[in-house]
């Protein structure tokens, strides 16, 4: 099936395009390409962060392999030899993941193990995070007694995701898949929490706190739930250094929180980053990759 695509000299166009990733349909499979684009506050910034897409691809591969016994995932290969010839061009090198084609579920599965960001702001107002009542007396960056599941909608580019309750996810999935909504909603919640606990424990042993992250899931041709998209990258997670962790204030990070903080302090940036911020961002991503995988990027 691949030969007809491999032999095409013409430009291929993505069938879907997100803030960072581009998806190419190659028949019964897809090629997911992680670009060097970076987004913050639901806006794609004007700069690219050179090498970021390679780190996202390699890190997702690492986590998919580590957790394949918990739930199946969509990854087939990131080996360039397994790609159609079109994706062997230099501009795609190291950025491609061949994946199973799925029907994606319209839920962002967010899990929080620590209180920070919008969760901390909400807690300060009324003691809740996404409607979930938390113990009194927590301070910023505290570890929660147990990780909490706080799903959101999957908004289009430029729009904000909206908080959903667990029952909202049941209702939404029931409309799409009558008689199966409760089962699918339960499965993605359970998988989200189990994946987080496994990976957070692993990362802590490597010197990184995973404060929160998000997962996405789809359905295969048999209607089974499959983990998809990216997994536990600095784009989709908050990574804090274990060393020096101290609740009561915000934490330094290995993720794009550095970019968010700079943009917050420079509201006249016009969605552009200076060179030093770009360089520091990729350094943080590379450091996180090395700590978590034990491997330097080749």
């Amino acid at each position: 099936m691949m030969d007809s695509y491999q032999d095409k000299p013409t430009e291929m166009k993505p069938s879907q395009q997100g803030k960072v990733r581009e998806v190419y349909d190659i028949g019964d499979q897809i090629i997911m390409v992680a670009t060097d684009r970076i987004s913050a506050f639901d806006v794609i910034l004007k700069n690219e962060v050179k090498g970021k897409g390679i780190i996202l691809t390699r890190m997702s591969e690492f986590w998919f392999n580590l957790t394949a016994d918990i739930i199946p995932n969509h990854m087939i290969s990131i080996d360039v030899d397994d790609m159609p010839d079109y994706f062997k061009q230099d501009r795609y090198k190291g950025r491609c993941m061949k994946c199973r084609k799925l029907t994606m579920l319209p839920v962002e599965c967010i899990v929080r193990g620590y209180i920070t960001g919008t969760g901390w702001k909400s807690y300060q107002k009324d003691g809740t995070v996404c409607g979930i009542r938390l113990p009194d007396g927590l301070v910023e960056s505290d570890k929660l007694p147990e990780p909490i599941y706080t799903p959101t909608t999957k908004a289009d580019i430029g729009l904000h995701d909206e908080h959903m309750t667990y029952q909202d996810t049941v209702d939404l999935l029931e409309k799409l898949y009558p008689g199966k909504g409760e089962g699918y909603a339960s499965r993605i919640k359970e998988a989200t929490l189990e994946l987080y606990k496994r990976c957070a424990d692993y990362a802590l042993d490597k010197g990184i706190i995973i404060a929160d992250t998000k997962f996405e899931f789809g359905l295969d041709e048999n209607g089974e739930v499959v983990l998809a998209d990216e997994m536990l990258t600095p784009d989709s997670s908050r990574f804090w250094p274990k060393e020096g962790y101290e609740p009561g204030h915000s934490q330094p990070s290995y993720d794009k929180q550095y970019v968010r903080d700079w943009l917050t302090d420079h509201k006249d940036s016009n969605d552009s980053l200076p060179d030093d911020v770009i360089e520091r961002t990729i350094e943080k991503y590379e450091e996180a990759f090395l700590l978590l995988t034990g491997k330097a990027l080749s």
Side-chain angles (χ1 to χ4, degrees):
M1 179 172 289
M2 298 300 175
D3 289 344
S4 61
Y5 289 93
Q6 291 175 347
D7 295 339
K8 279 188 177 182
T10 55
E11 184 80 8
M12 287 182 67
K13 299 295 183 183
S15 57
Q16 299 175 50
Q17 186 164 317
K19 298 184 186 77
V20 173
R21 283 169 178 74
E22 297 172 347
V23 177
Y24 294 80
D25 191 324
I26 58 168
D28 59 351
Q29 298 167 344
I30 62 170
I31 303 294
M32 183 173 288
V33 178
T35 72
D36 287 342
R37 296 192 295 267
I38 189 166
S39 67
F41 306 116
D42 295 310
V43 174
I44 300 172
L45 304 182
K46 294 177 180 176
N47 313 82
E48 291 193 341
V49 178
K50 188 175 181 180
K52 183 170 87 72
I54 296 172
I55 294 175
L56 300 186
T57 300
R58 292 274 300 276
M59 192 170 286
S60 289
E61 178 207 26
F62 172 79
W63 291 117
F64 283 144
N65 285 332
L66 187 70
T67 60
D69 61 316
I70 294 177
I71 187 170
N73 61 68
H74 72 163
M75 181 179 70
I76 297 172
S77 177
I78 67 166
D79 189 332
V80 67
D81 291 336
D82 294 332
M83 303 296 163
D85 284 348
Y86 181 80
F87 297 96
K88 295 177 182 178
Q89 301 177 64
D90 285 345
R91 62 174 168 153
Y92 293 117
K93 185 178 180 181
R95 306 171 180 279
C96 298
M97 181 178 288
K98 181 189 284 187
C99 302
R100 300 161 61 186
K101 186 180 287 187
L102 305 173
T103 301
M104 296 301 293
L105 297 175
V107 180
E108 293 266 0
C109 296
I110 297 171
V111 55
R112 304 168 189 260
Y114 294 73
I115 189 164
T116 187
T118 58
W120 170 239
K121 291 178 182 178
S122 174
Y123 177 80
Q124 288 177 291
K125 290 180 180 178
D126 60 12
T128 70
V129 173
C130 300
I132 299 172
R133 174 67 57 182
L134 296 179
D136 294 337
L138 296 178
V139 298
E140 185 177 7
S141 303
D142 252 339
K143 184 177 182 180
L144 299 175
E146 288 292 333
I148 58 173
Y149 177 65
T150 58
T152 70
T153 59
K154 289 173 62 173
D156 293 332
I157 295 175
L159 301 177
H160 294 288
D161 297 332
E162 299 293 336
H163 166 65
M164 303 172 75
T165 65
Y166 172 71
Q167 188 58 47
D168 289 337
T169 68
V170 173
D171 295 342
L172 174 60
L173 295 176
E174 182 63 25
K175 288 180 181 178
L176 295 173
Y177 305 99
K180 298 181 178 180
E182 177 72 49
Y184 285 150
S186 175
R187 178 64 173 134
I188 62 177
K189 177 181 179 180
E190 290 172 0
T192 293
L193 292 170
E194 189 173 357
L195 289 166
Y196 174 77
K197 290 174 182 177
R198 160 83 64 85
C199 297
D201 286 347
Y202 171 90
L204 194 62
D205 188 55
K206 302 297 182 182
I208 287 182
I209 293 169
I210 302 178
D212 55 39
T213 192
K214 66 98 177 173
F215 301 109
E216 295 190 36
F217 300 89
L219 303 178
D220 67 11
E221 64 277 9
N222 298 316
E224 297 298 318
V225 175
V226 177
L227 178 62
D229 197 58
E230 65 182 313
M231 184 176 182
L232 284 161
T233 71
D235 268 18
S236 65
S237 316
R238 280 189 174 92
F239 292 156
W240 298 339
K242 177 182 175 182
E243 184 177 358
Y245 165 68
E246 182 185 56
H249 53 80
S250 62
Q251 307 296 308
S253 70
Y254 294 114
D255 53 68
K256 68 177 181 181
Q257 188 61 42
Y258 179 72
V259 170
R260 295 190 195 100
D261 291 343
W262 188 89
L263 290 169
T264 299
D265 293 338
H266 298 80
K267 297 188 183 300
D268 60 348
S269 66
N270 196 27
D271 299 328
S272 295
L273 302 173
D275 289 345
D276 64 313
V277 173
I278 294 172
E279 291 168 8
R280 185 68 183 120
T281 299
I282 196 63
E283 287 173 2
K284 286 174 173 284
Y285 280 44
E286 289 173 347
E287 188 174 356
F289 181 83
L290 177 60
L291 286 171
L292 290 168
T293 68
K295 299 176 182 178
L297 288 163
S298 55

